[in-house]
Amino acid sequence: MNRRDVIRCAGIVVTSMFAIGTVFAKEKLAEKKDAWKQYVGKPGPSGWRCHVVQADPRDHGPDGINIHDWDKDGHHDLFVNFEEGKYSRLYFNPGPKKVRRPWTDFIEFKHGKCEDSGIGDLDGDGDLDYVANGGWVYFNPGKDKLKDASAWNKMTLFDYERRVPTVTDVDGDGLNDLIVGSQEWYRQPKADKHNAKNWTKHVMGKNRWPMNCIMRDLDGDGDMDMVVPDRGREICWYVNPGKDKVTGPWKRKTLHTHHEPMFMTMGDVNGDKIEDFVITGGSLGKLARKLIVLIRTNRSGVPEYKEIIIDQPSGNFPKGVVVTDLDGDPAKNEILVIPKQGDIWTTTYSGDPMEAKNWKAVPVSLPGSKTRKKMDNAWLGDLDGDGDFDVVTTEENGGWGVIWFENPSKK
């Protein structure tokens, strides 16, 4: 064999080894993406289970959920946006007998990259419409044509990323408007509502990376202010300037100085009928891997609060959060936290909630927690129709996809 033949043979061997290695790597990756099949639906020690609505073996990146009974059959459906896949799907709940299996009845909308979304009636017809955060609005055609994706009228309001689209009546005229990026809002026109040219844009402020847009009357003056965990800066709130001035800038005020928050929520954690602030600390800053609970002590004016800092009992860092009644005690609510990876966990208090030592955080151990690589925010919905709230989220990198944690309690 001459030198040229030796080189050719060596090349064939290397190519073959590379091909074999590539196939092997793909098989191992596929194996990892199917790991959920080993754990789905199996109970943890406390009875909680994790179910899959739609797996994500190709990393299409489900990353945001809206919960509503779209087809009016009495069951909560899920509108999910897929960031890398560049589409959204409306999954119809198959009912209590089949809800714990993958959901196969859905319609799909194609658009650009979309990390989150919102819902609300944006044309005044009584039906909820859908907003993907790249500026795409899909108008609901009504119950009779709901499952015909082509019947949904798509309007491109803008074509750039603006997070947390939020539907609310900003100017008090009785029509819902659209806030995007927690910094701009578009006024719903009186007529020809499906024409983007008729929607007028107004600037409220500027945020770096808003994780939530929560509309509440924080100062008690009768109009809706805006609460924003602005990742990279702080947790802030924008003061509604009043009906006559809403088209201009809103004054920004600091609620808390933690500069790397993940998601937050508001809810009454201590039963005093005043909503409190609950913020996940994320992975950076002095309060990384902490849960920040701000128990509000006044009902109006600039919010005053007692700060409670809670150490995480599980997971790599806290990300999603909800406030809900998990134990059936109406005197107080519990906080449930979803970490980026690892076991979900809950926290509540015994005795005086104003004392940090009275708060205890407990992991909710569930099979397969390490295979859920990148979970997101937490949403509440009674998916199985048993009268209590289950917790819904998305998992982007471990193959689980759209998932929900079944609350074992029954009300």
Side-chain angles (χ1 to χ4, degrees):
M1 184 180 292
N2 60 35
R3 186 169 179 267
R4 182 178 296 177
D5 291 336
V6 170
I7 294 173
R8 184 183 297 114
C9 289
I12 292 172
V13 170
V14 170
T15 301
S16 298
M17 291 178 65
F18 178 78
I20 292 170
T22 301
V23 171
F24 181 74
K26 287 182 177 180
E27 288 177 349
K28 292 297 291 183
L29 180 61
E31 185 179 316
K32 288 182 180 179
K33 295 298 183 182
D34 285 342
W36 64 272
K37 295 180 180 179
Q38 303 175 45
Y39 308 110
V40 66
K42 294 182 179 179
S46 60
W48 284 78
R49 303 169 189 258
C50 183
H51 302 287
V52 168
V53 171
Q54 172 70 61
D56 184 35
R58 298 183 179 180
D59 282 335
H60 285 183
D63 194 8
I65 289 175
N66 296 280
I67 300 176
H68 176 65
D69 180 11
W70 294 86
D71 55 4
K72 297 180 174 58
D73 65 352
H75 306 301
H76 281 150
D77 308 307
L78 304 177
F79 219 140
V80 185
N81 47 273
F82 290 75
E83 183 179 2
E84 284 76 25
K86 299 181 180 180
Y87 59 84
S88 296
R89 285 180 176 176
L90 171 51
Y91 292 94
F92 297 100
N93 190 321
K97 292 183 179 180
K98 298 180 179 179
V99 71
R100 295 170 183 84
R101 308 172 198 163
W103 299 14
T104 57
D105 186 11
F106 62 85
I107 56 174
E108 182 176 289
F109 304 99
K110 297 201 179 287
H111 45 65
K113 188 176 181 179
C114 174
E115 190 170 4
D116 52 20
S117 56
I119 60 175
D121 183 5
L122 283 171
D123 55 6
D125 64 357
D127 296 317
L128 295 193
D129 307 304
Y130 175 74
V131 187
N133 83 337
W136 306 286
V137 179
Y138 293 84
F139 291 102
N140 188 335
K143 184 179 178 181
D144 292 342
K145 296 182 178 180
L146 183 73
K147 293 190 176 184
D148 178 5
S150 65
W152 289 66
N153 191 338
K154 179 182 179 182
M155 177 181 73
T156 300
L157 191 57
F158 52 90
D159 191 15
Y160 49 84
E161 185 171 39
R162 279 292 181 264
R163 289 179 53 81
V164 289
T166 303
V167 178
T168 185
D169 183 4
V170 178
D171 56 5
D173 67 351
L175 298 174
N176 283 327
D177 309 299
L178 177 63
I179 299 175
V180 296
S182 301
Q183 63 185 31
E184 303 162 1
W185 69 280
Y186 289 81
R187 173 179 276 160
Q188 183 179 150
K190 302 294 183 183
D192 198 12
K193 301 171 188 288
H194 297 184
N195 187 343
K197 293 180 180 179
N198 295 326
W199 289 72
T200 307
K201 173 182 169 181
H202 304 281
V203 177
M204 311 161 78
K206 187 171 180 58
N207 296 295
R208 181 183 180 275
W209 196 253
M211 300 299 292
N212 298 86
C213 177
I214 302 173
M215 304 305 294
R216 291 290 194 281
D217 181 9
L218 281 198
D219 51 14
D221 65 355
D223 51 34
M224 288 293 179
D225 308 301
M226 184 170 63
V227 185
V228 184
D230 189 7
R231 189 173 169 187
R233 294 181 66 184
E234 62 178 357
I235 298 95
C236 66
W237 64 291
Y238 285 85
V239 184
N240 190 320
K243 185 176 180 179
D244 296 335
K245 298 181 180 180
V246 290
T247 58
W250 294 24
K251 186 175 182 179
R252 175 175 175 142
K253 293 187 176 183
T254 297
L255 180 66
H256 194 280
T257 58
H258 179 51
H259 65 275
E260 285 291 344
M262 291 301 292
F263 295 103
M264 71 171 289
T265 190
M266 291 182 62
D268 179 10
V269 300
N270 61 336
D272 63 357
K273 309 301 181 185
I274 303 174
E275 282 198 310
D276 309 299
F277 310 92
V278 186
I279 306 149
T280 55
S283 61
L284 300 172
K286 293 181 179 179
L287 293 176
R289 296 171 178 80
K290 308 287 187 183
L291 184 70
I292 307 162
V293 181
L294 308 178
I295 302 177
R296 187 169 182 179
T297 56
N298 64 338
R299 294 180 181 274
S300 60
V302 175
E304 299 173 359
Y305 54 77
K306 168 68 174 180
E307 179 191 69
I308 304 293
I309 304 299
I310 299 170
D311 292 327
Q312 62 177 12
S314 59
N316 52 359
F317 66 83
K319 194 172 181 185
V321 62
V322 289
V323 173
T324 187
D325 180 10
L326 294 174
D327 63 3
D329 179 2
K332 62 180 180 179
N333 286 315
E334 289 72 47
I335 300 169
L336 185 144
V337 177
I338 294 180
K340 179 181 177 182
Q341 181 182 20
D343 285 320
I344 62 176
W345 53 277
T346 64
T347 183
T348 189
Y349 61 89
S350 297
D352 185 358
M354 297 297 185
E355 295 291 334
K357 65 181 181 180
N358 293 334
W359 285 78
K360 182 179 180 181
V362 180
V364 179
S365 181
L366 281 168
S369 62
K370 291 183 179 179
T371 67
R372 293 185 280 274
K373 303 292 185 181
K374 187 183 178 185
M375 292 185 286
D376 199 58
N377 201 6
W379 292 270
L380 293 171
D382 183 7
L383 297 196
D384 52 9
D386 65 355
D388 56 34
F389 280 126
D390 307 298
V391 181
V392 190
T393 191
T394 53
E395 194 286 312
E396 288 188 65
N397 300 141
W400 285 77
V402 185
I403 60 177
W404 61 286
F405 298 101
E406 182 180 355
N407 187 339
S409 66
K410 292 179 172 58
K411 294 186 176 180

